[in-house]
Amino acid sequence: MSAVIDSGHAHDHEHHPSGIMRWITTTNHKDIGTLYLWFSFTMFLVGGMLALGIRAELFQPGLQFWHPEFFNQLTTMHGLIMVFGAIMPAFVGFANWQVPMMIGAPDMAFARLNNWSFWLLPVAATLLVASFFVPGGATAAGWTIYAPLSTQMGPGMDLAIFALHIMGASSIMGSINIVTTILNMRAPGMTMMKMPLFVWTWLITAYLLIAVMPVLAGAITMLLTDRHFGTSFFNAAGGGDPVMFQHIFWFFGHPEVYIMILPGFGIISQVIPAFSRKPLFGYSSMVYATASIAILSFIVWAHHMFTVGMPVAGMLFFMYATVLIAVPTGVKVFNWLATMWRGSMTFETPMLFAVGFIFVFTMGGFTGLILAIAPVDIQLQDTYYVVAHFHYVLVAGSLFSLFAGFYFWVPKWSGRMYDEKLGKWHFWLSMIFFNVTFFPMHFLGLAGMPRRIPDYALQFAGFNEISSIGAFGFGLSQILFLWIILKVTVLGRGDKASARTWEGADTLEWTHLPSPAPYHSFHEQPVVK
Amino acid sequence: MTKRMVKAAVAALLALPAAAQAAYQLNLPSPVTRVAGEIYDLHLIMMAIILVIFVGVFGVMFYSIYAHRKSVGHKAEHFHENTTVEIIWTVIPFIILIGMAWPATKTLLSLKDTTSPDLTIKVTGYQWKWGYDYLKGEGEGISFLSSLSTPQDQITGSASKGEHYLREVDNRLVVPVNRKVRLLLTANDVIHSWMIPEFGVKQDAIPGFVRDTWFKAEKEGTYRGQCVELCGKDHAFMPIVVDVVSAEKYSEWVAEQKKKIAAVAEDPNKKWDLEELRARGQGVYSTTCVACHQANGQGVKGAFPALDRSPLVNGPKGRHIEIVLNGKQGTAMAPFGKQLSDTDIAAVITYERNAWSNKTGDVIQPSEIRAARK
């Protein structure tokens, strides 16, 4: 690769508006990336506060703070906000910032569509949060909104359905943009099998999104017509079937969980080689493993439904298909370890989060394997074991990979180094409190504590107390993260970052662009050899 | 041999702290059916395999973190491919998975085999209680509802909590030991799920459909569970309690129940007076209606309407009877016509029309309900 640094353009056509209008009208991938990241962080804090509301109630048996119906609203909205408001938009923010720079493109393929995909989100989020204040409150049917419970809900459910529709439209447009950008705008010489892994994982994720968001839209539209227009898709009395809702929902829902983790795999696959000062081990098998996981995700959905009373042949099929996913996932973990093996490692904050990711995500993978075994799942389905499992993959997995990515790329985005000492504190506090919160939930689940309950039998009191303490610790640690972000971006404090901040980083944004990356980068595409 | 040793070692390890402090239970509850026992062993074996892999994989990782650091002067090597290694670590996990899936398949087949039961019981999930109907076998014809019996003041914290807080009911399910019991599950309103961990049973109850499961408890005792599928406001408050008793005790229980059924068989044309109905209605209200409409009849604002001073309750009785019998579509108001007898419905409506500040003076006779059902 040529080492010429694109030193910005003195004659930049920067006639863009300033102030608030800059952000509302922007078509710049970096601005839009920043918007996505701030939006998702805000939603992360909102969803986090709902989670603390849950853990406060569960600190002790008995009803202390909330009525049961409000508690159900808390669990439901925590799930919806974290999945659709925090994790998914955060990864899209990373895609906006990084995909064009990593493939040597000047911007995203559809710049105005990009603006529109972002600005739909605050509208959807407003509908979602406002639903707390309508008669009957927000939807309390769980984030999975199973019919017919969701047909019983008040107008809060309708607001949530509209919000999901809008978010779905935003995701589909964002995905089309990402696919088009990656397939058409790569720098000369960058063949598919030379793309950085983060780009690969996002390409596959974008296809998953395009495939399944319309399925969710179908499910919630049928729900809407069942609620208001007298149809009976999910009502047995009218010839429908409540279980059909679950089939449709999870046909969307299982690929959805991979949508939330595959870009995280991509980030980890950039960070580990950079700090091991060694190329990624098994690049092509990483690509194939990601693709296999994506394909398998379409044929495992009913493992979320082992207790609905499926025919035994169906249960066997979904059990076998599900355990198969362990193979490509294992390949990924082994490849990361082989990348670290005999490297020359240093442990700045991005690497800490990446190694932490591998450690705790693998635990989530193991519990996933246990849940995949249908007879064992009969005992654990809908208990806290499931809650522990998916927080190990979504918090320790997706969220930690987002943290790793933020610390890794923020020098390139802001031109300044984040506070390394505080970053390390953020890692250790998050890591410890995460495990204090969620590890005891495995035991609660084994002992048979159901999820989504505001009050519980006395035998569950001990572990719930520990878990609640951990949750408040974890929540407070994220305030530290907010301070770290503000310090390095808004306040602009910290040492100046060099163009190639990390010794082992070798993708185009590090080798061809200064830090901070200029507002318009790669007017002339670099040539990749 | 080795398999048994691993199991014993893991079991001992898990039992140690559990014995020290019962509140910190670390594993599945001790099984009392063959299927639950197989699940218990399956889980232990998987945990053992996972623990070995965990130690192996992270042993390598932490060794590498320790030895291959820049700060100790380790220079990076530049290998980035090795087809042999990559094939090995694809194939070996695959073989391990087959090893796990094999015993799981056997357990699953017996778990789903609901043929030739000794006793068949229909379980119906209601918001928020369970109904049991003994359909076939000894005890045929017995039928009752089973609701939470923990007093409200224990939940709100004004009284100290009892030993079986939230896991106690007014009427327990009673079954004989060592008999195959088949459960047919359905629901009246939304999806519920019936579970007893000691039996290895968890089955969703789906409105409009019948699903089945089975268990054969091998040890007498009392076993407790609760609804595990989110079913609305009082999801946390619909426990399940099963008494597994000897064959003789079971026969005694059946005889007793039959006597009760005969005793409560009422003269359908009896004329009730206001006070009789109000007293009976208050009882029905406090088990069936109080969760939503509240003891003071005020409901919950925005969610469940107040009955006190309600135009419906103080208006024509025909409309009131219709709502209680058939429910209200699109709300949590269930059709109680299927759950309650004519007398109970007459009583609870009479109570509602003459309680709090409602003073209609109406007396609804069971015969009026019977007429309205047609």
Side-chain angles (χ1 to χ4, degrees):
Chain A
M1 283 182 210
S2 121
V4 180
I5 300 285
D6 180 342
S7 53
H9 294 264
H11 53 279
D12 251 351
H13 314 283
E14 303 214 12
H15 298 302
H16 56 79
S18 54
I20 183 79
M21 285 312 282
R22 165 186 169 183
W23 299 104
I24 292 176
T25 61
T26 184
T27 53
N28 179 288
H29 74 100
K30 299 189 181 76
D31 278 356
I32 293 173
T34 305
L35 286 171
Y36 264 108
L37 291 174
W38 274 113
F39 170 79
S40 60
F41 192 72
T42 312
M43 295 311 281
F44 171 66
L45 294 182
V46 174
M49 283 193 292
L50 301 182
L52 294 185
I54 296 170
R55 286 314 322 172
E57 180 59 61
L58 293 176
F59 181 61
Q60 284 186 333
L63 293 178
Q64 284 88 23
F65 296 99
W66 320 117
H67 287 296
E69 59 271 27
F70 184 70
F71 181 90
N72 290 346
Q73 295 175 27
L74 287 180
T75 56
T76 305
M77 296 300 278
H78 166 71
L80 287 174
I81 286 179
M82 286 304 199
V83 167
F84 294 99
I87 300 287
M88 288 172 68
F91 280 123
V92 183
F94 274 83
N96 259 291
W97 260 103
Q98 287 305 127
V99 166
M101 291 203 290
M102 293 174 100
I103 62 172
D107 206 307
M108 296 291 281
F110 306 118
R112 285 167 201 276
L113 187 73
N114 204 9
N115 172 290
W116 181 228
S117 348
F118 172 77
W119 280 107
L120 282 176
L121 287 181
V123 178
T126 311
L127 283 180
L128 211 50
V129 175
S131 72
F132 271 114
F133 305 100
V134 299
T139 167
W143 87 277
T144 50
I145 51 171
Y146 277 7
L149 182 60
S150 46
T151 30
Q152 278 188 355
M153 294 287 140
M157 187 71 234
D158 301 311
L159 290 184
I161 290 176
F162 293 139
L164 287 177
H165 268 306
I166 296 172
M167 286 170 171
S170 159
S171 288
I172 291 171
M173 287 190 281
S175 304
I176 291 173
N177 210 345
I178 289 168
V179 169
T180 314
T181 308
I182 296 174
L183 293 185
N184 296 292
M185 295 175 68
R186 297 192 308 280
M190 180 173 282
T191 57
M192 294 294 277
M193 290 310 274
K194 278 190 187 164
M195 294 195 309
L197 218 76
F198 177 71
V199 179
W200 253 118
T201 53
W202 242 117
L203 179 66
I204 291 167
T205 303
Y207 274 112
L208 284 181
L209 274 167
I210 295 170
V212 301
M213 291 313 285
V215 178
L216 173 68
I220 58 181
T221 305
M222 286 188 264
L223 189 58
L224 192 72
T225 61
D226 267 15
R227 284 168 57 76
H228 296 295
F229 305 116
T231 57
S232 302
F233 290 107
F234 309 125
N235 174 10
D241 182 352
V243 177
M244 186 174 75
F245 180 85
Q246 298 182 24
H247 280 293
I248 303 173
F249 181 86
W250 287 114
F251 187 82
F252 146 80
H254 202 79
E256 167 71 15
V257 286
Y258 293 130
I259 286 164
M260 289 188 281
I261 195 64
L262 293 183
F265 287 167
I267 293 175
I268 300 304
S269 303
Q270 303 301 136
V271 172
I272 297 273
F275 293 89
S276 306
R277 293 167 181 75
K278 202 167 146 265
L280 182 68
F281 186 90
Y283 172 91
S284 42
S285 69
M286 281 302 229
V287 173
Y288 300 140
T290 312
S292 324
I293 293 175
I295 292 165
L296 284 174
S297 76
F298 284 104
I299 55 163
V300 296
W301 77 89
H303 68 213
H304 297 269
M305 305 161 51
F306 278 147
T307 59
V308 297
M310 258 182 282
V312 68
M315 289 180 83
L316 287 174
F317 170 79
F318 285 107
M319 174 168 83
Y320 298 150
T322 304
V323 294
L324 269 187
I325 292 182
V327 175
T329 314
V331 166
K332 283 189 160 289
V333 172
F334 297 140
N335 278 340
W336 288 323
L337 292 192
T339 308
M340 291 162 70
W341 188 252
R342 291 186 185 277
S344 177
M345 282 185 273
T346 52
F347 294 92
E348 292 88 346
T349 311
M351 184 64 164
L352 284 178
F353 270 110
V355 173
F357 165 95
I358 299 180
F359 188 65
V360 265
F361 174 79
T362 304
M363 297 212 258
F366 282 143
T367 53
L369 191 55
I370 289 196
L371 289 169
I373 300 297
V376 182
D377 184 70
I378 295 287
Q379 288 286 35
L380 300 175
Q381 166 79 8
D382 269 315
T383 68
Y384 259 81
Y385 196 91
V386 176
V387 177
H389 160 71
F390 69 70
H391 281 93
Y392 265 80
V393 289
L394 279 178
V395 178
S398 309
L399 186 64
F400 279 16
S401 72
L402 287 163
F403 287 158
F406 171 81
Y407 288 109
F408 185 56
W409 279 308
V410 78
K412 179 56 64 185
W413 300 342
S414 70
R416 305 225 166 239
M417 278 305 285
Y418 60 88
D419 190 324
E420 185 65 52
K421 200 168 160 190
L422 290 184
K424 288 198 164 117
W425 268 102
H426 178 222
F427 168 74
W428 286 110
L429 288 173
S430 297
M431 186 70 178
I432 290 166
F433 282 122
F434 167 78
N435 283 292
V436 174
T437 310
F438 293 105
F439 203 76
M441 290 185 186
H442 293 113
F443 302 127
L444 288 173
L446 285 168
M449 174 169 164
R451 56 192 289 211
R452 296 164 166 170
I453 54 172
D455 193 4
Y456 46 82
L458 300 182
Q459 78 230 49
F460 306 127
F463 282 127
N464 268 301
E465 202 172 78
I466 298 174
S467 181
S468 287
I469 293 169
F472 278 87
F474 189 82
L476 290 176
S477 313
Q478 306 320 315
I479 305 295
L480 174 65
F481 183 49
L482 174 63
W483 169 239
I484 296 172
I485 301 175
L486 288 175
K487 207 172 152 189
V488 64
T489 59
V490 178
L491 303 179
R493 278 156 59 181
D495 301 336
K496 274 207 172 312
S498 61
R500 193 166 176 171
T501 315
W502 313 110
E503 195 185 354
D506 62 355
T507 41
L508 292 177
E509 78 276 26
W510 301 111
T511 55
H512 284 63
L513 295 174
S515 299
Y519 193 63
H520 296 291
S521 42
F522 293 129
H523 277 283
E524 284 162 36
Q525 291 200 296
V527 176
V528 180
K529 293 202 184 82
Chain B
M1 184 64 205
T2 38
K3 186 176 136 188
R4 196 167 299 161
M5 275 164 61
V6 169
K7 270 160 58 182
V10 178
L13 211 68
L14 290 171
L16 260 179
Q21 170 56 279
Y24 290 91
Q25 184 187 330
L26 294 179
N27 200 357
L28 293 165
S30 309
V32 296
T33 64
R34 191 173 52 81
V35 168
E38 284 176 25
I39 295 175
Y40 189 91
D41 293 345
L42 201 56
H43 174 251
L44 277 188
I45 292 165
M46 291 206 44
M47 280 307 290
I49 297 172
I50 281 169
L51 225 55
V52 170
I53 302 175
F54 185 86
V55 170
V57 169
F58 290 105
V60 170
M61 186 176 92
F62 284 110
Y63 171 77
S64 178
I65 287 174
Y66 166 75
H68 306 146
R69 275 175 297 156
K70 195 184 181 193
S71 56
V72 296
H74 195 272
K75 292 268 182 294
E77 291 179 14
H78 279 271
F79 64 87
H80 56 86
E81 254 174 1
N82 186 329
T83 315
T84 322
V85 175
E86 290 177 60
I87 289 175
I88 290 175
W89 69 39
T90 311
V91 172
I92 289 185
F94 191 76
I95 294 170
I96 296 176
L97 290 177
I98 294 174
M100 289 176 171
W102 176 245
T105 304
K106 286 200 294 186
T107 304
L108 191 64
L109 291 175
S110 50
L111 189 141
K112 296 290 281 186
D113 177 19
T114 54
T115 50
S116 46
D118 302 309
L119 180 62
T120 304
I121 303 173
K122 183 176 127 196
V123 181
T124 310
Y126 298 97
Q127 282 173 319
W128 292 274
K129 57 181 161 290
W130 294 99
Y132 298 105
D133 298 275
Y134 288 62
L135 294 186
K136 218 170 163 203
E138 190 184 355
E140 196 174 317
I142 295 174
S143 165
F144 55 88
L145 291 172
S146 172
S147 328
L148 178 76
S149 62
T150 304
Q152 197 66 27
D153 53 2
Q154 287 191 17
I155 296 173
T156 54
S158 47
S160 63
K161 297 177 175 32
E163 188 194 350
H164 295 298
Y165 176 69
L166 296 190
R167 289 211 158 178
E168 48 199 352
V169 294
D170 49 4
N171 300 307
R172 298 170 172 197
L173 181 67
V174 180
V175 295
V177 71
N178 286 323
R179 293 279 184 281
K180 184 167 183 174
V181 180
R182 179 177 181 225
L183 299 181
L184 298 177
L185 294 105
T186 187
N188 187 53
D189 29 52
V190 300
I191 301 175
H192 302 268
S193 191
W194 197 93
M195 66 105 153
I196 293 287
E198 286 87 347
F199 297 169
V201 167
K202 182 178 293 155
Q203 175 58 53
D204 293 356
I206 297 158
F209 290 84
V210 176
R211 297 288 203 264
D212 67 349
T213 185
W214 70 280
F215 65 87
K216 185 172 170 183
E218 288 161 0
K219 209 174 134 196
E220 291 174 37
T222 302
Y223 304 99
R224 294 164 201 273
Q226 65 189 98
C227 178
V228 275
E229 180 65 59
L230 179 63
C231 56
K233 184 171 89 66
D234 282 348
H235 167 49
F237 307 105
M238 48 184 293
I240 299 155
V241 181
V242 182
D243 273 340
V244 176
V245 297
S246 64
E248 302 80 61
K249 275 209 185 134
Y250 180 70
S251 303
E252 279 169 33
W253 179 81
V254 168
E256 199 181 305
Q257 295 300 308
K258 296 267 178 183
K259 247 184 264 163
K260 267 197 209 163
I261 294 172
V264 296
E266 285 142 355
D267 171 11
N269 296 316
K270 176 185 168 189
K271 278 271 179 211
W272 295 65
D273 70 23
L274 178 65
E275 271 323 301
E276 277 177 314
L277 283 170
R278 255 179 67 165
R280 181 166 176 148
Q282 187 162 19
V284 177
Y285 187 86
S286 67
T287 55
T288 308
C289 318
V290 75
C292 296
H293 296 296
Q294 306 299 320
N296 57 9
Q298 295 300 327
V300 174
K301 210 167 179 278
F304 308 109
L307 298 184
D308 191 18
R309 297 175 205 276
S310 144
L312 177 86
V313 174
N314 293 287
K317 53 190 182 183
R319 178 80 188 126
H320 190 177
I321 293 172
E322 191 193 321
I323 293 271
V324 176
L325 274 178
N326 304 320
K328 197 169 176 197
Q329 271 263 295
T331 70
M333 181 67 196
F336 287 98
K338 285 183 242 161
Q339 294 181 32
L340 301 177
S341 68
D342 291 347
T343 317
D344 281 343
I345 291 180
V348 78
I349 293 177
T350 306
Y351 171 73
E352 286 170 359
R353 296 176 82 84
N354 296 289
W356 318 298
S357 35
N358 299 338
K359 297 207 168 30
T360 59
D362 290 343
V363 180
I364 316 288
Q365 293 298 338
S367 54
E368 293 176 60
I369 307 298
R370 202 168 57 247
R373 278 185 198 272
K374 283 169 189 155

